[in-house]
Amino acid sequence: MSSHLNLGVIRRILGLLLAVFSLSMLAPVAVSLYYRDGQAELFIEAFLIILVVGMLMWFPARKRHGELRLRDGFLVVALFWCVIGLAGAVPFALADDPKMTVSQAVFESVSGFTTTGATVLTGLDALPRSILYYRQQIQGLGGIGIVVLAVALLPLLGIGGMQMLKAETPGPMKDAKLTPRITGTAKALWGVYLVITLAGVLAYWLAGMSLFDAVSHSFTAVSTGGYSTHDESIGYFGSTAVELVTIVLMVLGGASFSLHFLAWRYRHVGDYWRDEEFRAYVAILLSTTLITTIVLMLTGAYADPAEAVRSALFHAVSVQTSTGFTTENFALWPGVLPTLLIFTSFVGGCAGSTGGGMKVIRWLLVTKQGSREVSRLIHPSAEVVVKLGGRPIDSRVIEAVWGFFAIYLIVFTLLMLALMGTGVDQITAFAAIATCMNNLGPGLGEVATNFQSMNPAGEWLCTLAMLLGRLEIFPLLVLVSPGFWRG
Amino acid sequence: MSFAAIQRILGLLLMVFSLTMLPPVGVSYLYRDGSHGAFLTAFLVLLAIGTLVWYPARRDRRDLRLRDAFMVVALFWVVLGTAGALPLVISPKPVVSVTDAIFESISGLTTTGATVLTGLEQLPRSILYYRQQMQWLGGMGIVILAVALLPMLGVGGMSLYKAETPGPVKDSKLTPRVTQTAQMLWVVYLTITVACAGGYFLAGMDWFDAIGHAFSTVSIGGFSHYDASLGHYDNPAIEAVAILFMLIGATNFALHFTAWRSGRFGAYFSDPECVAFLKFMATISLITVAYLLIDGDYEDTLELAMDGTFQAISVGTTSGFTTSHYHHWPGALPVLLIFASFVGGCAGSTAGGMKVIRALLLMKQGRREVFRLVHPNAMMPIRIGGRAVPARVVDAVWGFFAVYVGSFAVLLLLLMVAGLDQVSAFSAIAATLNNLGPGLGEVAQNYASLNAFEKWVCVLAMLLGRLEIFTLLILLTATYWQK
């Protein structure tokens, strides 16, 4: 069996990808013409540049039609996000309003595609409409990409134990070859994604948003991205209805899209409650809300319990699903709350969702494994099998989950130290890396509302953190391991 | 659960522990510092309580079972740690609350080295001596625990690996195993301590300071007679002695025993954990010195190198001595060193942290996971020193790591609930969980400014760290108390 990387096929795919992606520049052109904000030329330029680069990559490799194998999968996943991240930066780099450095442009673009939602921009309300639309669109596209990545690719590649999900994916998932598997899943899930997004647009519009805002925020709520067209994020609207719609969309975005597909296909709403991960996901959300409400009330930050619950629920959901919308600056909340919330972003959304973090299912497994270790101390000879949803989990999967957990934390620590090395203080560094790696968005300290004050080296580190988190570390780690490039 | 056996042992421990109140009495008479009353009182009280506890159960000669061992270990540190607070509470100087006294005592017995006392130079000599002695005893206790007991209990994966490394005990029954270990190792421990004291004396300390600091160096404790710790001397020779004996203290004592017995130095270099430990210490020192060269404000390069190396090793081994105020060093350096303390020293040593062997195993396991992604069908056992590590051990190490980090996060949040800022909370828990001592922010010099609740959280952290989390946690599970 040849283990050479199929570089030709990979080049062809990436070239095609860029060419297709260039078309997404046309929608902002339309928006620009509609609002007459003078940015149409900018996006046409970007369209042409990306199209040409894509063609140049695709053309020499256009006849290469081999099959992609496992090893290629890692490279494709890693390159896909890096290449798209760079391509998406082109309009930002070319733009005059806002004026951005290259590192800022890449940061903003990658923050979009990884649906992180951390922004280097301020004064959003005054920016050209097409630029604002473009940011929202990036997150919408990123969300779709992530769903396919999370439901089809990562389980197949066996990232961090995700192969345990293989048996559960819908559609033509029994196919072992990579390409049909991806396209089959993609088609199944894009339908679901589109339906939820459209429902979101409608709901926002009925709740009182303008059509522009409704489309914009639906894009970034379902993708759990968190970009907004306003500096004050969802707080701008000051509307309970808007907040409720947002909460629903975020919860949906942070749940498994396989589950959504199954529920939709077979009309079984009960499927949600039967899923162990979903139950844990909801339980954690509610616990965080409860603790937050109690602390808010006890410290006197809120006098009215209803208001406390409203804000606690919104932010608990927003942070854990790694969306990052805010109705107020939670970094200013009393004492333990900001840190507690940032900690919950490490839990993240469900596997197969657009959410970030380590994913609920891994935490579930780690907890079960942990309690098994404790009982093993007392009953060393007992054979205890770890089960999920009633099915036993293979020890290989368990080891992979452990490995993921440990490496995630170590990478976090190293990035945080590196960021401190560029001169950033401890709290900001901790929050910046956490929020980027978990694809959350807002942080604490200097990065509580935006990353404008981040130094250039720091911006690159945070961009790296975003990619590592979104790709679940290993695809990038594999690329730098010597064994990968050898035969 | 044989309560009687546990009771008997606990009573005996208290009685023996009461005897340790007597040397401070001697010191008190020698220096005429007026605290002899406190120690005599403590001696009598503890002897009486110990006897009362032991007497009803004195005939129970059953061997301890595995389950009982957890209880005994936990009780040793909790009960003796609390008992050790007695002289501090009774003594007219220093004036401390009960919380403070217990904090200081447990910080001593767990060889953490975090202190709530200030103005150490003005305290009675016997009190200063007593603190150092607590750490020395705690160090001896942890060595016996780590070499004899923890492998049998299988805590955090230490079972099968350690049972196979050359060491003093082959007996598998609990009580003879512990007593044999104690007999073999106390000679090694004592010899090293004497050598350290000699080293300090030759380097310029007076004999009182030399003995006191030898106590807290070999036990990787970090208590000192001075607020400024070893920085008080500003003497590179003393720092060099400290570096040597911190490294020795943080090495597996079973290894010391084997090397001594067989007379071969090579034993150290054929132990994978010891080699990894030394490499890690060298790396941390190098990074520290390099960072200081680029970004620090030292005038003398030699002083910079000495300070950097000393501080790196002090924090890395979880001793906690300070020469300069390392928390004022540039940028990421103090935080980097605190993270290094999570690795800590070797298993079977007096050091804290998660232990080098676990870090080694975690690294190999991590690398294997990356390898497995590309070669899903490859069979790859984890090997240390050429021998394959059983899957059960690998699992246990993972579990330990997760619980350690989880405990850290929960304790950190608890401190912040009490009102402490994030930087202080982070370093306070890190420094107590890893049995390091000094932290950053509000706990850089001492823990005096914390409120009572915060101090108790730190006490809990010290105990959890010393007992490797599971030993304490297991007492809270339902499974433990079932038949």
Side-chain angles (χ1 to χ4, degrees):
Chain A
M1 181 173 119
S2 156
S3 10
H4 283 146
L5 290 165
N6 221 327
L7 288 172
V9 179
I10 294 176
R11 253 207 315 264
R12 178 179 69 93
I13 293 180
L14 284 178
L16 261 180
L17 167 72
L18 277 178
V20 170
F21 176 65
S22 72
L23 295 174
S24 74
M25 296 293 145
L26 298 177
V29 173
V31 173
S32 178
L33 292 173
Y34 180 79
Y35 285 101
R36 293 197 197 104
D37 63 14
Q39 305 296 319
E41 231 180 81
L42 172 74
F43 285 102
I44 295 180
E45 261 179 59
F47 161 67
L48 288 171
I49 294 175
I50 299 174
L51 181 65
V52 166
V53 171
M55 289 276 128
L56 285 174
M57 275 186 73
W58 169 79
F59 196 73
R62 72 194 180 284
K63 302 256 207 302
R64 312 282 205 95
H65 275 274
E67 254 312 312
L68 282 183
R69 274 153 307 109
L70 196 67
R71 215 178 273 230
D72 307 319
F74 290 106
L75 203 51
V76 169
V77 165
L79 283 179
F80 183 103
W81 250 266
C82 291
V83 166
I84 280 258
L86 286 172
V90 171
F92 288 128
L94 294 176
D96 276 320
D97 177 22
K99 197 94 191 77
M100 300 168 86
T101 65
V102 171
S103 63
Q104 284 178 327
V106 174
F107 180 98
E108 197 78 8
S109 171
V110 172
S111 178
F113 283 105
T114 56
T115 71
T116 300
T119 181
V120 289
L121 301 173
T122 47
L124 289 172
D125 306 62
L127 288 181
R129 289 276 176 140
S130 53
I131 298 275
L132 290 178
Y133 170 76
Y134 177 63
R135 286 168 81 244
Q136 310 300 110
Q137 181 184 267
I138 291 182
Q139 291 210 318
L141 293 173
I144 298 178
I146 288 161
V147 168
V148 174
L149 175 77
V151 175
L153 265 179
L154 293 180
L156 195 67
L157 297 177
I159 302 293
M162 284 296 106
Q163 55 267 46
M164 67 185 123
L165 295 183
K166 259 198 284 207
E168 298 178 31
T169 49
M173 284 314 103
K174 306 309 164 199
D175 203 313
K177 292 213 206 80
L178 212 62
T179 325
R181 190 187 170 89
I182 299 174
T183 47
T185 314
K187 285 182 202 151
L189 296 171
W190 289 344
V192 180
Y193 194 87
L194 200 60
V195 166
I196 299 179
T197 309
L198 286 174
V201 173
L202 186 64
Y204 272 138
W205 186 66
L206 287 172
M209 279 193 190
S210 68
L211 190 61
F212 182 77
D213 275 347
V215 171
S216 299
H217 289 87
S218 188
F219 272 174
T220 59
V222 180
S223 63
T224 62
Y227 267 165
S228 173
T229 53
H230 305 282
D231 276 345
E232 285 172 62
S233 184
I234 294 288
Y236 171 88
F237 302 98
S239 152
T240 319
V242 166
E243 286 165 35
L244 277 174
V245 173
T246 311
I247 289 175
V248 171
L249 289 176
M250 291 193 288
V251 171
L252 286 176
S256 161
F257 273 71
S258 305
L259 261 187
H260 294 321
F261 177 84
L262 286 171
W264 184 34
R265 214 2 146 69
Y266 302 112
R267 304 262 183 270
H268 277 167
V269 186
D271 273 350
Y272 287 107
W273 208 244
R274 267 188 285 275
D275 185 68
E276 203 177 341
E277 186 188 20
F278 186 81
R279 287 202 306 269
Y281 169 61
V282 172
I284 299 174
L285 283 176
L286 291 176
S287 316
T288 312
T289 307
L290 188 65
I291 297 174
T292 309
T293 310
I294 293 176
V295 177
L296 283 175
M297 298 286 310
L298 283 179
T299 56
Y302 276 89
D304 178 8
E307 286 301 310
V309 171
R310 175 181 165 188
S311 197
L313 179 63
F314 185 88
H315 291 97
V317 173
S318 176
V319 170
Q320 194 190 314
T321 56
S322 78
T323 308
F325 281 132
T326 54
T327 54
E328 58 179 296
N329 189 357
F330 69 82
L332 297 176
W333 276 357
V336 69
L337 285 179
T339 309
L340 174 67
L341 284 176
I342 299 280
F343 275 177
T344 61
S345 74
F346 279 87
V347 176
C350 298
S353 75
T354 57
M358 292 196 228
K359 309 301 184 291
V360 176
I361 200 168
R362 289 197 182 98
W363 281 94
L364 206 49
L365 276 172
V366 163
T367 314
K368 289 178 185 243
Q369 289 160 228
S371 41
R372 181 177 69 163
E373 285 311 312
V374 174
S375 52
R376 264 177 171 173
L377 286 177
I378 310 180
H379 303 288
S381 27
E383 279 303 310
V384 182
V385 177
V386 175
K387 289 197 188 158
L388 201 66
R391 277 202 319 268
I393 302 287
D394 187 61
S395 64
R396 280 289 287 266
V397 170
I398 293 178
E399 285 165 16
V401 174
W402 280 135
F404 177 86
F405 190 82
I407 292 191
Y408 200 94
L409 289 177
I410 291 172
V411 169
F412 168 76
T413 307
L414 292 174
L415 286 172
M416 175 180 158
L417 287 171
L419 193 57
M420 288 185 77
T422 69
V424 177
D425 69 273
Q426 188 179 335
I427 295 188
T428 305
F430 157 77
I433 299 299
T435 200
C436 289
M437 220 172 141
N438 297 326
N439 304 123
L440 167 60
L444 308 173
E446 298 282 315
V447 294
T449 43
N450 58 63
F451 277 65
Q452 197 177 60
S453 60
M454 181 62 67
N455 65 69
E459 282 164 3
W460 286 109
L461 278 171
C462 291
T463 306
L464 177 63
M466 288 188 231
L467 285 167
L468 280 169
R470 179 44 65 192
L471 299 179
E472 312 214 328
I473 317 276
F474 281 99
L476 289 176
L477 217 56
V478 163
L479 291 185
V480 299
S481 71
F484 179 78
W485 298 100
R486 277 187 251 124
Chain B
M1 204 61 223
S2 80
F3 285 112
I6 294 176
Q7 188 180 336
R8 183 178 73 91
I9 292 179
L10 193 63
L12 272 174
L13 282 175
L14 273 171
M15 288 163 68
V16 171
F17 185 66
S18 72
L19 293 175
T20 69
M21 299 292 144
L22 296 177
V25 176
V27 176
S28 186
Y29 276 126
L30 189 65
Y31 287 97
R32 292 197 192 97
D33 63 15
S35 289
H36 55 274
F39 289 104
L40 278 171
T41 315
F43 162 66
L44 290 169
V45 169
L46 292 178
L47 183 63
I49 296 179
T51 314
L52 283 172
V53 170
W54 165 78
Y55 196 75
R58 71 192 179 286
R59 292 206 214 279
D60 198 294
R61 291 270 157 204
R62 273 175 294 180
D63 189 33
L64 278 185
R65 281 172 14 254
L66 208 64
R67 222 176 266 222
D68 306 327
F70 283 107
M71 181 64 82
V72 171
V73 168
L75 285 178
F76 177 95
W77 257 270
V78 174
V79 172
L80 291 192
T82 311
L86 206 53
L88 294 171
V89 171
I90 300 175
S91 171
K93 258 182 97 163
V95 178
V96 283
S97 63
V98 172
T99 301
D100 281 350
I102 294 182
F103 182 101
E104 198 78 9
S105 173
I106 290 189
S107 177
L109 206 62
T110 56
T111 73
T112 299
T115 182
V116 288
L117 302 173
T118 48
L120 289 172
E121 287 98 289
Q122 276 83 45
L123 291 181
R125 290 263 174 150
S126 52
I127 295 282
L128 291 180
Y129 169 80
Y130 178 67
R131 288 165 80 243
Q132 310 299 114
Q133 183 188 264
M134 279 286 270
Q135 293 211 310
W136 192 65
L137 293 172
M140 179 85 246
I142 191 62
V143 166
I144 297 176
L145 176 76
V147 174
L149 262 184
L150 289 181
M152 279 208 78
L153 299 180
V155 174
M158 286 304 94
S159 53
L160 303 166
Y161 170 68
K162 278 304 168 186
E164 295 175 30
T165 50
V169 264
K170 297 300 162 206
D171 206 308
S172 52
K173 284 219 213 75
L174 223 60
T175 322
R177 200 184 155 89
V178 171
T179 43
Q180 277 173 34
T181 311
Q183 281 162 4
M184 310 276 176
L185 291 180
W186 83 267
V187 179
V188 179
Y189 194 70
L190 186 64
T191 312
I192 295 177
T193 310
V194 170
C196 183
Y200 277 138
F201 183 72
L202 288 172
M205 285 191 190
D206 69 51
W207 66 269
F208 181 72
D209 279 355
I211 294 178
H213 286 90
F215 276 176
S216 60
T217 306
V218 177
S219 63
I220 308 281
F223 269 164
S224 173
H225 295 158
Y226 304 98
D227 283 343
S229 182
L230 285 179
H232 165 88
Y233 297 98
D234 204 12
N235 178 341
I238 288 181
E239 287 165 35
V241 173
I243 289 177
L244 175 64
F245 283 93
M246 285 193 284
L247 289 174
I248 292 178
T251 307
N252 185 357
F253 271 72
L255 207 51
H256 289 316
F257 177 83
T258 314
W260 190 31
R261 253 288 188 78
S262 62
R264 285 188 309 120
F265 246 1
Y268 290 112
F269 295 105
S270 43
D271 181 62
E273 186 187 20
C274 189
V275 171
F277 165 65
L278 291 172
K279 281 192 197 160
F280 185 61
M281 286 296 117
T283 311
I284 296 283
S285 306
L286 234 72
I287 294 177
T288 305
V289 172
Y291 205 120
L292 285 174
L293 274 172
I294 300 174
D295 217 4
D297 47 21
Y298 279 86
E299 271 133 32
D300 182 5
T301 314
L302 214 58
E303 187 194 351
L304 177 156
M306 197 60 182
D307 255 9
T309 309
F310 177 90
Q311 207 59 75
I313 292 184
S314 172
V315 178
T317 54
T318 74
S319 308
F321 288 116
T322 53
T323 51
S324 50
H325 293 166
Y326 84 102
H327 51 279
H328 283 318
W329 277 355
L333 209 47
V335 178
L336 170 70
L337 288 181
I338 292 213
F339 275 131
S341 74
F342 275 88
V343 175
C346 298
S349 76
T350 52
M354 288 194 241
K355 308 302 182 294
V356 174
I357 186 75
R358 289 196 184 98
L360 202 54
L361 279 167
L362 283 174
M363 234 178 58
K364 292 186 181 237
Q365 287 162 225
R367 271 211 290 260
R368 180 174 71 166
E369 285 312 313
V370 177
F371 187 82
R372 268 176 167 174
L373 285 177
V374 189
H375 305 283
N377 301 318
M379 288 305 296
M380 261 192 81
I382 304 280
R383 289 185 188 280
I384 297 241
R387 277 199 314 265
V389 178
R392 281 289 287 265
V393 172
V394 171
D395 277 349
V397 173
W398 281 134
F400 180 86
F401 177 74
V403 174
Y404 203 90
V405 172
S407 306
F408 171 76
V410 170
L411 290 167
L412 191 158
L413 288 174
L414 275 178
L415 275 190
M416 291 189 76
V417 166
L420 201 56
D421 68 277
Q422 190 181 326
V423 173
S424 304
F426 157 78
S427 65
I429 297 301
T432 46
L433 192 64
N434 297 326
N435 303 123
L436 162 63
L440 307 171
E442 277 207 50
V443 296
Q445 324 270 58
N446 56 63
Y447 286 65
S449 62
L450 297 188
N451 67 47
F453 175 76
E454 289 162 357
K455 284 174 185 157
W456 281 107
V457 174
C458 289
V459 166
L460 178 61
M462 289 187 231
L463 288 169
L464 277 172
R466 184 82 292 181
L467 297 177
E468 312 219 321
I469 317 270
F470 281 107
T471 320
L472 214 49
L473 234 49
I474 209 176
L475 299 176
L476 299 174
T477 61
T479 332
Y480 179 77
W481 299 98
Q482 283 161 6
K483 268 284 169 233

